[in-house]
Amino acid sequence: MLDLDHRFGLSERGSDFRTELRAGLTTFLTMAYIAFVNPQILADAGMPFDAVFVATCLAAAFSTLVMGLYANYPVALAPGMGLNAFFSYVVVIELGHPWEVALGAVFVAGLLFVVLSLTPVRRWIIDAIPFGLKMGISAGIGLFLGILALKNAGIITASPATLVTSGDLVDAAPILALLGFCLIVALASRRIPGATIIGVLGVTAAGIGMGVSEWQGLLAAPPDPTPTLLALDIAGALQVGMISVILTFLIVDLFDTTGTLIGVAKQANLLDAEGKLPRIKRAVIADSAGTVAGAMLGTSPVTSYIESGAGTSAGGRTGITAVVVAVLFVACLFFAPLAQSIPAYATAPAILYVACLMTRALADIDWPEITESAPAVVTAMAIPLTFSIADGIGIGFLAFVVTKLLAGRFRECSPAMIAVALLFAAKFAFLD
């Protein structure tokens, strides 16, 4: 244990091995859905479900292990929601590119991401984000998580008239989810260890007992990964018509990851006194390497997961949390039926609890300084309402720079802020 303490800095960060194990399990439980949702989405693009299932688990395990061992952060990674939808429904179905070419585009974008991660450019961009915007990003991710949680629980649903509306609140799933959320909050207020896990497993057991969800079993042999393994078409991805696709993958992955790292690090008190993230280079290398590996295995871009906040809320502070998640994703290959037994409405309470914790970042904004606070609030609102961390950050960047310009305080905008704002303006104008 002394070696682990020295290697990961457990005592320094106020954690211990048992807490890290619990945090890793918590994070995995809240994001295990991706192992089954991602193959479903990519299957719409014609990719074989079983092979993508294996690729998803292995890409998540590899990138999360690198994050834990190399960057020493309690952040888990996996193929990103939103990016997988863009892969299937835009690149393959709408634009008509074969899924092998789309994988090639993911690979090229991943390589560009690696190059940015190895140079000072990435840290230059991240460090240039004003503190208020960072707090807005953290709160925005919290609100984004809240919408996802309420949606997964069936508490809210889509509406053509009002965008969202209430779901069937007398249905068993919303009721169980709300009770699970209240249980987690109550246990957390009593400082009972494992409050989040108790809530997730308690709701799962209650749902199975009531017949709302089914026990899927325990073990199954891992499927054959070869249909998608190294099936990417890099030559096809280097065509002129794929430039916008590659840039979209790169930009969205870049800022999804940036926003998530800032949000989770803020929630875990891992930012330094200036609001900067130490060892950011190692963290983004883990992310970019995961995208490259994922393309080779046969899945859409890998990104840091906002559900990592569930693990940090359970006490995770070091890379051991990430290592545990990586091991569980490997185990998921063999325990797929068990993971399938945990329904979305059972993980929704944990995600909603994390949303509440992360939204508290709004309290740290400099409210009297309107040119700082207003763009931060816009960022916080835009992230959930655009349903995109990257687009929300882009809107916030543009609001910040334009506000400072019109207020006669343009000198307060760093060159990196201006460059990124122009980059987002180009993306919105030509790539969306």
Side-chain angles (χ1 to χ4, degrees):
M1 287 299 177
L2 290 177
D3 289 339
L4 286 176
D5 194 354
H6 176 73
R7 170 67 177 79
F8 292 96
L10 288 167
S11 300
E12 177 185 347
R13 299 190 188 181
S15 186
D16 56 64
F17 185 69
R18 182 176 297 179
T19 299
E20 296 293 316
L21 290 179
R22 183 171 63 242
L25 177 59
T26 302
T27 295
F28 176 77
L29 288 176
T30 60
M31 65 181 291
Y33 67 87
I34 193 61
F36 309 101
V37 174
N38 192 55
Q40 291 170 359
I41 293 176
L42 297 193
D44 290 341
M47 298 184 69
F49 180 96
D50 289 345
V52 176
F53 168 77
V54 175
T56 301
C57 291
L58 292 180
F62 168 76
S63 53
T64 304
L65 188 64
V66 175
M67 179 68 78
L69 296 178
Y70 183 58
N72 194 20
Y73 279 120
V75 176
L77 303 94
M81 291 294 292
L83 284 166
N84 52 11
F86 176 75
F87 181 105
S88 288
Y89 305 125
V90 177
V91 180
V92 176
I93 296 176
E94 182 179 333
L95 299 180
H97 298 292
W99 60 262
E100 293 88 348
V101 172
L103 284 179
V106 173
F107 180 81
V108 174
L111 286 181
L112 293 174
F113 199 173
V114 170
V115 172
L116 287 177
S117 302
L118 292 173
T119 63
V121 175
R122 180 62 186 274
R123 186 177 185 101
W124 181 63
I125 293 173
I126 295 175
D127 288 349
I129 303 174
F131 181 80
L133 275 187
K134 288 180 179 177
M135 297 305 100
I137 290 170
S138 180
I141 293 174
L143 295 172
F144 187 29
L145 275 174
I147 288 181
L148 290 175
L150 294 174
K151 174 178 175 291
N152 290 346
I155 296 172
I156 62 174
T157 188
S159 168
T162 59
L163 297 182
V164 293
T165 188
S166 58
D168 186 357
L169 300 182
V170 297
D171 192 41
I175 292 174
L176 287 173
L178 285 173
L179 289 175
F181 170 72
C182 294
L183 175 62
I184 291 173
V185 173
L187 293 177
S189 71
R190 293 173 176 267
R191 302 186 183 278
I192 295 177
T196 308
I197 295 178
I198 293 172
V200 171
L201 296 182
V203 171
T204 299
I208 292 174
M210 295 171 59
V212 180
S213 55
E214 297 181 0
W215 172 250
Q216 301 293 330
L218 186 64
L219 289 168
D224 179 14
T226 55
T228 61
L229 184 64
L230 299 178
L232 64 168
D233 182 356
I234 299 175
L238 294 177
Q239 298 173 8
V240 176
M242 293 297 294
I243 293 177
S244 63
V245 172
I246 293 171
L247 289 177
T248 299
F249 279 138
L250 176 63
I251 293 171
V252 174
D253 198 7
L254 176 70
F255 285 96
D256 265 3
T257 298
T258 299
T260 300
L261 287 173
I262 291 172
V264 174
K266 165 63 180 174
Q267 199 257 330
N269 295 317
L270 296 178
L271 298 178
D272 63 20
E274 299 179 354
K276 297 180 180 180
L277 185 64
R279 303 183 314 283
I280 183 65
K281 182 177 180 179
R282 294 191 175 198
V284 295
I285 286 175
D287 195 298
S288 54
T291 293
V292 173
M296 297 173 68
L297 290 165
T299 187
S300 50
V302 169
T303 187
S304 300
Y305 257 60
I306 49 181
E307 285 86 349
S308 301
T312 56
S313 74
R317 294 294 181 271
T318 76
I320 295 177
T321 294
V323 172
V324 171
V325 175
V327 171
L328 290 173
F329 265 113
V330 174
C332 188
L333 292 169
F334 301 90
F335 291 88
L338 175 62
Q340 284 181 308
S341 298
I342 302 175
Y345 66 79
T347 59
I351 297 174
L352 187 58
Y353 174 63
V354 174
C356 295
L357 297 180
M358 295 184 72
T359 307
R360 293 187 300 186
L362 289 172
D364 296 327
I365 294 174
D366 184 7
W367 289 102
E369 179 47 68
I370 192 64
T371 61
E372 298 283 337
S373 60
V377 173
V378 168
T379 304
M381 293 190 298
I383 288 175
L385 295 180
T386 61
F387 220 70
S388 168
I389 295 174
D391 285 353
I393 293 174
I395 292 170
F397 270 53
L398 288 168
F400 184 91
V401 171
V402 174
T403 296
K404 292 291 186 181
L405 173 63
L406 297 178
R409 301 169 63 174
F410 193 60
R411 291 183 178 180
E412 297 178 13
C413 297
S414 67
M417 279 293 298
I418 298 170
V420 173
L422 290 174
L423 181 65
F424 270 113
K427 175 188 179 296
F428 295 148
F430 303 112
L431 298 183
D432 286 351

